[in-house]
Amino acid sequence: MKTKLVFLLLLLPFVFSCSTKEGKLSETDKDKMKTEVKTIVDGLIKNCNEANSDQVIAIALHSPEFRYVLNGHALNYTEYETEVKSMHGLLAGQKINILSENYSFPDNSSVLYVAEFSALENYKNGYVRISESGSWSMLFKKTDNTWKMISGFESYTARNVSGDGTNGLNQLKLLKQYTGTWKGEVGKDTLLVWSYDGKIVNNAATFIMKTMSKAKTLSEGRSSLVYDKKTDKFIETEYVKGTSPAVYTWWFTANDKVDIFMIQDIANPEKATEKFTINFESKDKIKQTWYKNNKEVWSATFTRQK
């Protein structure tokens, strides 16, 4: 109820300002406006399904007054643009189902679209999520002979289905691929060397690591890895001397691919701002990549030492 109230308050200035305008729309005018806006809405849904963020953003009015309320969070244009790109960057595709929809006409140059929806979302990391009890409202206004969304509201509840992202893989068995000592360059004249003895005791394993420069040790540490049966994922606590522990969650999404997130993002990894991936390019070569806001920040290649 609170989110609906917020949306109504956002719309009140538009409704009252529109009501002062002269002229009454005929049914023919309404049909024409509805047809034009429906074309835009249908295109929006298609582009959302295909995760085409640029086309989704294009219908929004680029203005300081633009607002979009998403599950209780009011976004300005820049924040809306960032949110759409971030979400669509994680999606492989989705299917939005419109359960009901309605078009109304606050004045002779505005159309209010209101819909109920559900969605099946498929993420690139193997997650599958269902959004339910969805409410969607968009206020369109004709500006320079073009319909633009000047405000919007969206709320839904989401739940993972087959979407733990592990794809039924044997996580403990795949962990054995890390057995050995690995070395890679992580900076100028700086090497990261880490090793794993291949042992798994009580669903736990330990990795030893150190950074070196010109044969001099710069730092040393270890990672304690625990396999959590409930989530089918690993919880890793990384200890480096002189620094605070860092905690991650990670899992194999394919036989040769690992996704890594900070522990606070375990419930909603698709919304994480930071992500790491590891790809086994061969049995003796892996590439680790760090992404921030879906953009690659850093990568390093490690080779297994003979």
Side-chain angles (χ1 to χ4, degrees):
M1 182 63 71
K2 185 178 290 185
T3 55
K4 291 183 179 180
L5 179 60
V6 170
F7 174 61
L8 291 173
L9 290 173
L10 283 172
L11 284 184
L12 282 176
F14 294 112
V15 174
F16 284 124
S17 64
C18 292
S19 64
T20 60
K21 294 191 175 184
E22 296 182 359
K24 185 177 180 180
L25 289 171
S26 67
E27 291 304 314
T28 301
D29 291 332
K30 291 179 181 179
D31 287 342
K32 182 175 183 296
M33 293 166 66
K34 177 181 176 180
T35 298
E36 292 174 351
V37 171
K38 181 172 175 54
T39 299
I40 295 173
V41 171
D42 290 346
L44 171 64
I45 294 170
K46 178 178 182 293
N47 286 313
C48 284
N49 286 338
E50 297 173 356
N52 189 341
S53 57
D54 289 340
Q55 293 303 313
V56 170
I57 295 166
I59 72 164
L61 183 66
H62 193 168
S63 165
E65 283 73 42
F66 175 87
R67 291 295 182 273
Y68 194 93
V69 179
L70 178 61
N71 278 343
H73 299 283
L75 310 175
N76 60 28
Y77 179 87
T78 301
E79 292 166 335
Y80 172 74
E81 181 180 40
T82 300
E83 178 69 22
V84 171
K85 288 183 177 180
S86 176
M87 182 62 72
H88 284 185
L90 300 171
L91 281 171
Q94 64 179 328
K95 173 60 178 175
I96 297 172
N97 298 304
I98 300 299
L99 307 176
S100 68
E101 61 182 2
N102 178 263
Y103 295 82
S104 58
F105 310 90
D107 72 352
N108 58 11
S109 63
S110 302
V111 177
L112 176 62
Y113 173 81
V114 178
E116 295 179 335
F117 73 93
S118 63
L120 178 66
E121 304 157 15
N122 294 284
Y123 289 85
K124 293 175 181 177
N125 65 0
Y127 271 80
V128 180
R129 192 177 78 165
I130 291 179
S131 292
E132 301 171 305
S133 304
S135 297
W136 200 5
S137 302
M138 292 176 283
L139 184 63
F140 291 90
K141 191 173 185 65
K142 205 159 195 177
T143 305
D144 296 328
N145 208 35
T146 302
W147 289 103
K148 289 288 186 180
M149 176 176 59
I150 61 175
S151 67
F153 168 86
E154 182 182 344
S155 72
Y156 53 84
T157 58
R159 61 182 176 89
N160 292 335
V161 281
S162 68
D164 63 0
T166 61
N167 299 324
L169 299 169
N170 188 326
Q171 300 290 319
L172 288 172
K173 182 178 179 180
L174 291 172
L175 180 64
K176 295 280 190 177
Q177 296 179 90
Y178 282 115
T179 301
T181 298
W182 300 77
K183 183 186 293 185
E185 187 172 346
V186 294
K188 185 177 180 181
D189 297 325
T190 304
L191 297 174
L192 172 61
V193 182
W194 53 273
S195 60
Y196 169 50
D197 60 11
K199 295 180 181 179
I200 300 173
V201 180
N202 295 325
N203 290 334
T206 300
F207 287 68
I208 304 298
M209 56 193 173
K210 62 181 177 179
T211 54
M212 304 177 64
S213 180
K214 299 178 181 179
K216 180 182 179 181
T217 299
L218 302 178
S219 65
E220 294 181 288
R222 61 182 173 84
S223 282
S224 297
L225 198 67
V226 178
Y227 172 69
D228 179 43
K229 288 184 178 180
K230 185 176 180 180
T231 61
D232 197 22
K233 295 176 174 64
F234 295 103
I235 306 298
E236 177 183 359
T237 305
E238 182 181 275
Y239 303 89
V240 177
K241 291 180 180 179
T243 66
S244 299
V247 185
Y248 306 89
T249 179
W250 59 266
W251 58 95
F252 285 87
T253 59
N255 289 329
D256 56 357
K257 186 175 185 298
V258 175
D259 280 357
I260 306 171
F261 298 90
M262 302 302 294
I263 190 64
Q264 62 265 28
D265 295 315
I266 189 171
N268 293 291
E270 68 277 3
K271 292 186 177 181
T273 57
E274 291 187 86
K275 172 185 176 180
F276 300 85
T277 62
I278 291 179
N279 290 279
F280 282 79
E281 298 183 341
S282 71
K283 68 182 184 67
D284 294 321
K285 183 179 179 181
I286 61 176
K287 181 180 180 181
Q288 181 172 346
T289 307
W290 172 31
Y291 297 92
K292 194 167 185 178
N293 295 320
N294 297 312
K295 294 182 178 179
E296 182 176 326
V297 176
W298 169 91
S299 67
T301 299
F302 299 86
T303 55
R304 195 194 314 259
Q305 304 303 292
K306 302 297 184 181

